[in-house]
Amino acid sequence: IRGLLTKYDQAEFITKVTHNSSKYTFSEKDEDDFILKLIHNKKSEPAYYYRYMTFESAFNTLHENTYRMNSIVGMNDKSEVDYFNKKVYKNSKNQDTTNDIFISSFSSLGDDLTMWRLYGDDGKGVCLAFELKSTSKRFMLNKVCYKKKPLNLLSRLVEQGWMLRNAEEWKHLFKAQEYSVEREYRLLFRKKNDNLQFIKKEDWFVRKDTNIISKFITFDLNAAEFPLRLHKVIVGPKCTEQKLNVEQLRNITKQYNDDVIFSTSKIKTYR
């Protein structure tokens, strides 16, 4: 274990390793720090985090002044979870059934043709640009790791008796290299079965694309505890009545926030 940590430039964590009944562990905080060092580079933090969505979803977000996160149970691509499990645990674990961990995806790419095609309803949707206003133990906003080296290290540690406390969270921060073009960041939130006043709504829904029953949770965008601040709204390059809808969305939003910038996509050759 010590040799692996030193080899992967993780020597600072050697003294924090605890050993009990053939299992090696960190405290939850030290494990968080360890994983973050593996995947995170603070120098590459983007100025804004872009969320692409359908026009209807953007309307609901701005009209209700809330941000919605879905449970990891409702993720539409189970191959992502299998990717981590196969690389680290050498198997494909059962589907997630944890209803108290919620997730949301962003990109560091704003008004990007590929992202419009993949996640912006083929250019007919909206892109919301957020900036990070605060950090919180409840929320974790981290970039997705597309490299194999961190997973190789985790796999070798697990083989030698390492126990990851929060793998059910961290596994969602790893994806195959083929997806690196998305330059993705993910926001994770753990509810922990307590009543938080800044949670506006918690309920169930059925995903139309997977027919999976899952939970969702919404937060007031103006809540001090919510770590993101809405900065800009970009209406997609194929959205009908672009200029009219920009003004309508502006009228809806200004009752909550007068500082949001509105624009149409600068992409003029979308096919």
Side-chain angles (χ1 to χ4, degrees):
I1 295 291
R2 291 176 180 270
L4 283 173
L5 293 179
T6 303
K7 180 180 178 181
Y8 282 81
D9 193 26
Q10 303 290 312
E12 66 192 86
F13 292 100
I14 288 177
T15 58
K16 300 178 181 180
V17 176
T18 58
H19 179 234
N20 184 28
S21 301
S22 300
K23 292 291 183 182
Y24 298 88
T25 60
F26 282 142
S27 68
E28 286 195 15
K29 181 184 182 305
D30 289 334
E31 180 178 302
D32 288 352
D33 293 341
F34 174 73
I35 298 293
L36 281 175
K37 185 177 179 183
L38 281 180
I39 67 176
H40 203 54
N41 180 3
K42 292 184 177 180
K43 293 181 180 179
S44 65
E45 285 296 309
Y48 302 106
Y49 302 87
Y50 298 92
R51 172 75 174 173
Y52 292 80
M53 59 183 66
T54 65
F55 190 86
E56 181 181 5
S57 294
F59 168 79
N60 290 333
T61 297
L62 300 176
H63 182 245
E64 299 171 11
N65 193 43
T66 60
Y67 190 84
R68 172 169 168 162
M69 297 178 68
N70 294 333
S71 165
I72 57 174
V73 176
M75 290 184 68
N76 60 349
D77 189 354
K78 293 300 173 184
S79 65
E80 292 182 14
V81 177
D82 285 342
Y83 175 75
F84 179 89
N85 291 335
K86 288 177 181 178
K87 293 293 183 182
V88 175
Y89 294 109
K90 309 303 181 184
N91 62 40
S92 180
K93 289 196 170 184
N94 294 330
Q95 184 171 303
D96 287 312
T97 57
T98 304
N99 287 306
D100 63 351
I101 300 176
F102 299 84
I103 192 167
S104 190
S105 296
F106 301 84
S107 172
S108 60
L109 301 171
D111 197 13
D112 180 79
L113 180 61
T114 298
M115 298 305 293
W116 281 120
R117 286 175 169 167
L118 290 173
Y119 303 107
D121 194 17
D122 194 26
K124 297 185 290 292
V126 174
C127 176
L128 303 184
F130 293 89
E131 56 186 346
L132 184 65
K133 69 178 183 182
S134 63
T135 57
S136 167
K137 294 181 180 179
R138 293 281 185 181
F139 294 91
M140 295 183 295
L141 180 62
N142 295 293
K143 72 176 180 179
V144 169
C145 178
Y146 304 100
K147 298 178 181 179
K148 293 181 180 179
K149 185 176 178 181
L151 290 175
N152 292 337
L153 171 59
L154 292 175
S155 177
R156 294 183 66 183
L157 289 173
V158 167
E159 288 175 354
Q160 297 189 38
W162 193 285
M163 184 178 69
L164 289 169
R165 295 175 180 268
N166 293 325
E168 60 185 11
E169 296 178 11
W170 293 119
K171 65 185 177 184
H172 298 292
L173 297 178
F174 294 91
K175 293 178 72 172
Q177 176 67 33
E178 290 78 5
Y179 295 97
S180 61
V181 66
E182 299 176 2
R183 289 166 61 175
E184 186 176 355
Y185 283 73
R186 283 186 164 172
L187 181 68
L188 292 170
F189 172 77
R190 178 184 279 280
K191 186 172 180 291
K192 295 188 176 180
N193 297 319
D194 46 14
N195 184 23
L196 300 175
Q197 293 183 350
F198 67 96
I199 295 177
K200 200 163 187 178
K201 184 177 182 180
E202 182 176 0
D203 208 341
W204 299 86
F205 76 109
V206 178
R207 283 197 68 114
K208 293 180 181 179
D209 52 350
T210 62
N211 211 34
I212 294 175
I213 298 173
S214 181
K215 262 191 173 183
F216 74 88
I217 199 166
T218 62
F219 305 94
D220 190 323
L221 273 177
N222 292 339
E225 297 87 349
F226 190 65
L228 300 174
R229 178 186 293 108
L230 181 60
H231 169 72
K232 189 174 185 179
V233 176
I234 307 170
V235 174
K238 289 176 65 177
C239 181
T240 58
E241 299 292 345
Q242 275 187 322
K243 292 183 178 180
L244 174 60
N245 278 319
V246 162
E247 289 307 312
Q248 295 295 66
L249 291 176
R250 192 197 311 273
N251 288 331
I252 289 170
T253 306
K254 67 182 181 181
Q255 61 183 312
Y256 304 111
N257 191 341
D258 273 338
D259 297 327
V260 179
I261 300 170
F262 289 82
S263 70
T264 60
S265 170
K266 290 182 172 57
I267 299 173
K268 304 301 181 185
T269 57
Y270 197 111
R271 296 189 301 273

